[in-house]
Amino acid sequence: MAQVIAVLSTISRLSHHLRTRLPHVIVSDVLSDKDNVLSELSKAEILVADCDLLIPYLDKLPKLQWVQSTWAGLDKLLPYVQDKEINFILSRFSDKSFGLAMSEYVITQIVNYERDQKQQYENQKNADWVVDDKIKDHRLIRDLNIGILGLGNIGRSIAQHLKMFDATIWGMTRTPLKDRINYIDEHRTTDLLPDILKNCDYIINVLPSTKDTIGLLNGQVLENCKNRNVVFINIGRGTIIREADLINALEQKWICAAILDVFPEEPLSKKSKLWHFPNVTISPHISGVTRPQDVARLFAENYTKYINGEPILNSFDWQRGY
């Protein structure tokens, strides 16, 4: 009998791409029959799911062995599993496609900032041919020291692509690296974070939200940046710094600009002061967008590993929170 894969997701055409990748399995889109979602899920051994949709069913799936999440960050699940016995494997969606997408975002934002693209747009609106300040006298990526907080799959991809432009890369991880990475020029562990902040022109947060990372930049930590006109880019999680502390860092000019794709509360409130800083760029959590074809590709790879009894890629560690 063919294996049945249950899908609990609102991602358009995900089931189609799963069937294309795995034509020998049966893909069951449980949301197609909203009156029997629990009944269908209770029979599932393997599930592809959006984390927010999974939460109500966490302790109601007796046969479940493995969930492939469509999300990279699973921190929103943690409050719901603290008092529950979880007996299934949970794997994150994090693969080459996310790293490539977020590398594009970072490189685009750096180039736009260094060449003052916002002002160029205004000049074009006014039909002004202006060649001054950063529009002409801008830094290249190769002139920059760029600090990356978090060297998982995504952080390493960003580092590797920035190194192609000859940037000097500083990387931070919680523990020492086991092996040298040839595109990382300087490495520091979390306890030496101030060293990175004092030496880099850009600080890029790619860290997940865990007990070790929540509030890592809170308080006066960013004061370490104040002598370098640092640009802070956040594409990890908004919990890395309280909004009030980020606003204070901007007002005190500890950092000269912020490029923000994630926030402690999303959507960002219309009342937030961040909307009104001319040196802040805001995007709606789109630096890396989950695409159905990419989820299907990773799931197919993991499905083969599952069938063969091999370790599943990006398996979630409930203790570490990532």
Side-chain angles (χ1 to χ4, degrees):
M1 180 180 293
Q3 178 83 57
V4 177
I5 309 299
V7 178
L8 181 67
S9 175
T10 59
I11 297 175
S12 178
R13 294 179 62 77
L14 176 56
S15 295
H16 163 77
H17 286 282
L18 289 168
R19 292 186 185 102
T20 300
R21 283 275 172 184
L22 297 166
H24 57 287
V25 305
I26 298 171
V27 177
S28 174
D29 191 341
V30 298
L31 290 180
S32 62
D33 185 359
K34 296 186 183 300
D35 294 330
N36 293 297
V37 171
L38 179 57
S39 174
E40 291 300 310
L41 288 177
S42 65
K43 298 182 288 186
E45 175 185 336
I46 301 174
L47 175 62
V48 181
D50 302 347
C51 280
D52 56 340
L53 300 182
L54 176 62
I55 289 170
Y57 307 105
L58 277 170
D59 56 354
K60 301 174 183 177
L61 307 175
K63 296 184 179 180
L64 195 61
Q65 297 296 310
W66 167 40
V67 176
Q68 172 66 63
S69 169
T70 62
W71 293 11
L74 306 182
D75 44 286
K76 289 188 177 181
L77 271 181
L78 293 181
Y80 299 93
V81 300
Q82 291 177 352
D83 300 320
K84 294 181 173 64
E85 185 177 351
I86 303 298
N87 296 315
F88 55 83
I89 299 167
L90 176 64
S91 55
R92 301 180 301 111
F93 171 61
S94 180
D95 72 344
K96 183 178 179 180
S97 64
F98 252 12
L100 287 171
M102 296 172 92
S103 296
E104 285 185 14
Y105 178 93
V106 166
I107 291 168
T108 298
Q109 296 291 353
I110 291 175
V111 171
N112 283 349
Y113 181 81
E114 291 299 323
R115 297 178 182 238
D116 204 356
Q117 196 64 47
K118 284 185 178 180
Q119 186 58 53
Q120 291 195 57
Y121 289 144
E122 291 303 313
N123 294 344
Q124 181 174 338
K125 288 180 184 177
N126 299 321
D128 289 334
W129 185 280
V130 178
V131 184
D132 61 9
D133 298 326
K134 288 201 309 180
I135 293 175
K136 179 181 180 182
D137 297 320
H138 51 261
R139 297 179 296 184
L140 302 179
I141 290 178
R142 70 179 303 176
D143 301 323
L144 304 172
N145 283 1
I146 299 178
I148 300 176
L149 311 185
L151 292 177
N153 291 341
I154 294 170
R156 291 188 183 210
S157 178
I158 293 169
Q160 198 168 9
H161 285 91
L162 285 169
K163 178 53 71 176
M164 292 173 66
F165 291 90
D166 208 19
T168 299
I169 305 297
W170 292 59
M172 188 198 79
T173 56
R174 186 173 56 87
T175 57
L177 295 174
K178 294 180 180 179
D179 300 299
R180 185 183 182 278
I181 304 173
N182 59 12
Y183 47 84
I184 302 294
D185 300 286
E186 296 283 345
H187 174 260
R188 301 290 187 273
T189 49
T190 308
D191 56 312
L192 296 174
L193 170 61
D195 200 23
I196 295 181
L197 301 181
K198 292 174 182 177
N199 285 282
C200 290
D201 304 295
Y202 280 77
I203 298 295
I204 305 171
N205 176 51
V206 199
L207 290 166
S209 182
T210 72
K211 58 181 174 54
D212 296 317
T213 64
I214 291 173
L216 186 65
L217 300 180
N218 280 354
Q220 297 181 320
V221 174
L222 290 181
E223 189 175 3
N224 289 286
C225 300
K226 67 180 181 181
N227 295 321
R228 285 195 70 97
N229 291 322
V230 172
V231 179
F232 174 56
I233 299 179
N234 194 3
I235 55 174
R237 283 292 182 266
T239 54
I240 194 78
I241 184 170
R242 284 191 298 259
E243 183 176 319
D245 292 338
L246 177 57
I247 289 171
N248 184 58
L250 288 161
E251 292 177 336
Q252 297 295 328
K253 295 183 169 51
W254 296 341
I255 57 175
C256 68
I259 296 164
L260 308 171
D261 187 54
V262 291
F263 305 87
E265 297 293 332
E266 297 179 0
L268 179 64
S269 170
K270 291 182 181 294
K271 297 179 181 179
S272 173
K273 290 179 68 173
L274 290 171
W275 291 108
H276 306 293
F277 282 89
N279 54 342
V280 170
T281 298
I282 291 171
S283 57
H285 204 144
I286 47 74
S287 60
V289 177
T290 301
R291 305 190 310 166
Q293 59 269 44
D294 298 328
V295 176
R297 183 186 303 110
L298 177 63
F299 176 79
E301 184 177 357
N302 264 341
Y303 180 74
T304 299
K305 292 180 180 298
Y306 177 81
I307 294 299
N308 293 333
E310 300 171 4
I312 291 174
L313 298 173
N314 305 324
S315 292
F316 188 71
D317 187 316
W318 296 103
Q319 299 301 316
R320 292 189 298 175
Y322 60 91

